[in-house]
Amino acid sequence: MQRDERGPDTAAEAGLPDLPPSLSAARDGDIAVLRLSRPDKRNALNDPTVLSLETFFTGLPDGVRAVVLAGEGRHFCAGLDLGELQERDVAEGLRHSRMWHSVFEAIEFGRVPVVAVLHGAVVGGGLELACACHVRVAERSAYYGLPEGQRGIFVGGGGSVRVPKLIGASRMMDMMLTGRVHDAAEGQRLGLSHYLVEDGQGLATGLELARKIASNAPMTNFAVMQAIPRIAEASGGNGYLTEALMAAVAQNEGEAKRRLRDFLEKRAGKVEKDG
Ligand code: 1HE
């Protein structure tokens, strides 16, 4: 039977890690689609869900070359599960936040690029999760907020590092101090999303982008994910050296040599405008 007739493989069929009911995964060729699957709680992130994100991203089988992350129901993610926010002492609070950091680092610096498909609420820890992904597609319904201020807490999932990289520290301060919510159009203008699409189109766009990503040479994707964020934080001198090392490694791959030959022998596609 053709894959298209049968639909994507389920997680178990595809060798994807076991997940709790709050997450579901399926595989379509070299793409894995992971969904936050707790719509009755607006995909709020409890500890088992966050820890299982790490299990998923560190346990991806070799053939998966890109991941699409989406949310079920009307919202991408309502952030930290406030029902679980028991009174923690300082040490427990530190450990909890550092646990989120390590999980989101496993996404940002994991094996493969991740395309987040955003709709409805993308708030608090949900925005932090989206910012740990590599490409963000927003549907028109998406909106972004950091309600930690109203809840009397602070970001703890890496938001104070990642959000300012996208929109600047001063805009993040405004969101947290005043509770300002940005709609999808404003989020696109500010740089919270890379693509803005109509409602219901996010997953198809996310999959299309993931397929493009998966068709790149794996070493190029590795270099993009691992080197660009580090170079962005490095001094110019360290950045140039890291870039040169990464460029030399990538161009030495058989895959790079094959692709260059394909271009020179007129078998490769040209650079063309989208649309
Ligand atoms: C939740 C959560 C949650 C919903 N934790 N249970 N995040 C927030 O402060 C956002 C809080 N949530 C909301 O503002 C709204 O729920 C939404 C705008 C996201 C969605 O509104 P709506 O009208 O679709 O749903 P609802 O009726 O508010 O919620 C449906 C159920 O989900 C309800 O439970 P029910 O048992 O009464 O049905 C809600 O209690 C539940 N729910 N959001 C727990 N977040 C590492 S630090 C990160 C820090 C943060 O993320 S702080 C921001 C937390």
Side-chain angles (χ1 to χ4, degrees):
M1 190 187 288
Q2 296 289 311
R3 176 174 304 285
D4 287 351
E5 289 169 30
R6 204 184 40 158
D9 288 340
T10 63
E13 286 167 354
L16 296 169
D18 278 346
L19 297 170
S22 56
L23 292 172
S24 63
R27 183 158 167 190
D28 190 355
D30 47 15
I31 313 295
V33 179
L34 177 65
R35 290 170 189 270
L36 306 174
S37 306
R38 237 187 136 203
D40 52 325
K41 293 290 175 191
R42 307 312 184 240
N43 298 324
L45 297 169
N46 55 12
D47 283 359
T49 307
V50 175
L51 289 166
S52 298
L53 286 172
E54 185 165 37
T55 307
F56 179 83
F57 282 100
T58 54
L60 284 172
D62 280 348
V64 169
R65 297 178 67 163
V67 172
V68 175
L69 172 66
E72 274 178 21
R74 286 181 29 234
H75 302 280
F76 174 70
C77 178
L80 174 72
D81 187 329
L82 296 168
E84 281 201 350
L85 192 63
Q86 331 93 326
E87 291 216 1
R88 295 193 180 102
D89 66 22
V90 170
E92 288 162 344
L94 272 170
R95 272 200 300 276
H96 189 260
S97 171
R98 295 296 288 149
M99 181 272 278
W100 277 56
H101 291 165
S102 102
V103 173
F104 288 7
E105 283 233 337
I107 299 174
E108 184 178 7
F109 295 111
R111 276 201 22 246
V112 298
V114 184
V115 180
V117 174
L118 310 175
H119 74 295
V122 184
V123 302
L127 179 55
E128 294 182 287
L129 172 60
C131 291
C133 300
H134 305 92
V135 175
R136 282 165 293 280
V137 176
E139 294 191 351
R140 291 258 168 218
S141 66
Y143 59 93
Y144 309 92
L146 289 169
E148 284 83 348
Q150 288 111 288
R151 309 287 175 234
I153 54 177
F154 191 59
V155 284
S160 63
V161 174
R162 294 193 182 94
V163 175
K165 285 183 184 161
L166 301 183
I167 64 172
S170 107
R171 287 204 182 88
M172 180 178 181
M173 287 199 283
D174 176 33
M175 289 175 78
M176 290 198 70
L177 290 173
T178 69
R180 184 170 186 172
V181 171
H182 292 298
D183 66 15
E186 190 67 356
Q188 172 77 9
R189 196 181 70 76
L190 295 177
L192 285 170
S193 60
H194 298 90
Y195 298 85
L196 179 57
V197 299
E198 296 307 318
D199 288 341
Q201 297 299 309
L203 194 58
T205 305
L207 280 167
E208 187 188 327
L209 295 168
R211 287 194 190 100
K212 289 187 188 177
I213 290 168
S215 73
N216 294 337
M219 184 55 78
T220 303
N221 282 350
F222 174 89
V224 168
M225 287 174 62
Q226 305 291 332
I228 290 179
R230 264 89 179 214
I231 292 171
E233 286 179 352
S235 65
N238 286 338
Y240 289 128
L241 180 63
T242 308
E243 179 183 283
L245 289 168
M246 208 62 257
V249 169
Q251 79 183 23
N252 195 47
E253 285 281 294
E255 180 72 12
K257 294 189 164 82
R258 184 184 65 73
R259 287 171 184 242
L260 293 177
R261 215 168 32 245
D262 281 352
F263 178 76
L264 295 173
E265 292 168 9
K266 314 272 183 224
R267 287 191 300 270
K270 296 186 186 184
V271 176
E272 282 175 312
K273 282 194 285 186
D274 284 338

